[in-house]
Amino acid sequence: MRWLIPLFVLVPANLVAADVAPQAIPAGRWDVVSKAVDLVIPGAPGFMLRMMKGRSKTERKCLSPAAAQAGVAALLAPDPKAKCRVDSVQVAGGRYSQTLSCPQKKGPPLQIVRSGSYDAAGFTGRLKMAGQTPKGPMAITIDQTARHVAGACSG
């Protein structure tokens, strides 16, 4: 179950809407917080799901000045380890939405839908993940926020 939360920072910077110039964001350290809102995972013990619900995980990102010029899309860039495919993405006018397909070790890819709002201070949104497990359909909902926390990144 621990692998579920890290999948959620996932949009390539080169997929920003082409007709709108990205709004630059501050370079430096950013915290992306993902909080589990709802979890339906067949076969997972109920006590484990109750423990995970409401928990949050923080991913620390360091943006160079060049990366920060790409705007909020730089914060949404995928972790290459997740090997997710971006099916669609729209980042414009203070709103973002995307759909992704992320491989599982067994079974069809997980389908992820994200949407929310953004500005130069970061983003706030919701992620919904759906997939099939050997024991039945899975659905996970996660709220995410990203905020600039430091002008420089520490080692």
Side-chain angles (χ1 to χ4, degrees):
M1 303 301 158
R2 191 176 178 109
W3 59 269
L4 295 173
I5 301 297
L7 290 177
F8 308 122
V9 180
L10 301 168
V11 175
N14 64 346
L15 293 174
V16 176
D19 59 341
V20 179
Q23 176 183 8
I25 58 176
R29 199 177 100 217
W30 287 77
D31 282 353
V32 180
V33 178
S34 297
K35 180 180 178 183
V37 175
D38 191 36
L39 302 125
V40 177
I41 306 171
F47 77 92
M48 184 181 291
L49 296 176
R50 287 187 297 277
M51 283 177 34
M52 291 172 65
K53 189 174 181 176
R55 281 214 153 153
S56 48
K57 177 176 172 71
T58 301
E59 178 185 7
R60 290 178 167 54
K61 290 187 154 252
C62 180
L63 295 185
S64 68
Q69 292 302 308
V72 76
L75 293 173
L76 298 168
D79 181 343
K81 294 177 207 164
K83 298 182 181 173
C84 294
R85 182 185 79 222
V86 177
D87 298 319
S88 69
V89 66
Q90 177 70 33
V91 180
R95 304 283 312 160
Y96 69 89
S97 64
Q98 69 175 357
T99 59
L100 304 117
S101 300
C102 298
Q104 298 187 80
K105 288 183 181 181
K106 293 182 180 180
L110 298 172
Q111 300 303 308
I112 298 174
V113 176
R114 294 175 72 184
S115 61
S117 60
Y118 70 90
D119 59 23
F123 70 80
T124 300
R126 179 159 277 192
L127 176 148
K128 292 188 176 208
M129 180 177 6
Q132 189 66 34
T133 71
K135 295 186 178 185
M138 171 187 71
I140 297 173
T141 302
I142 294 180
D143 284 342
Q144 293 183 298
T145 59
R147 296 290 170 245
H148 188 248
V149 294
C153 298
S154 56

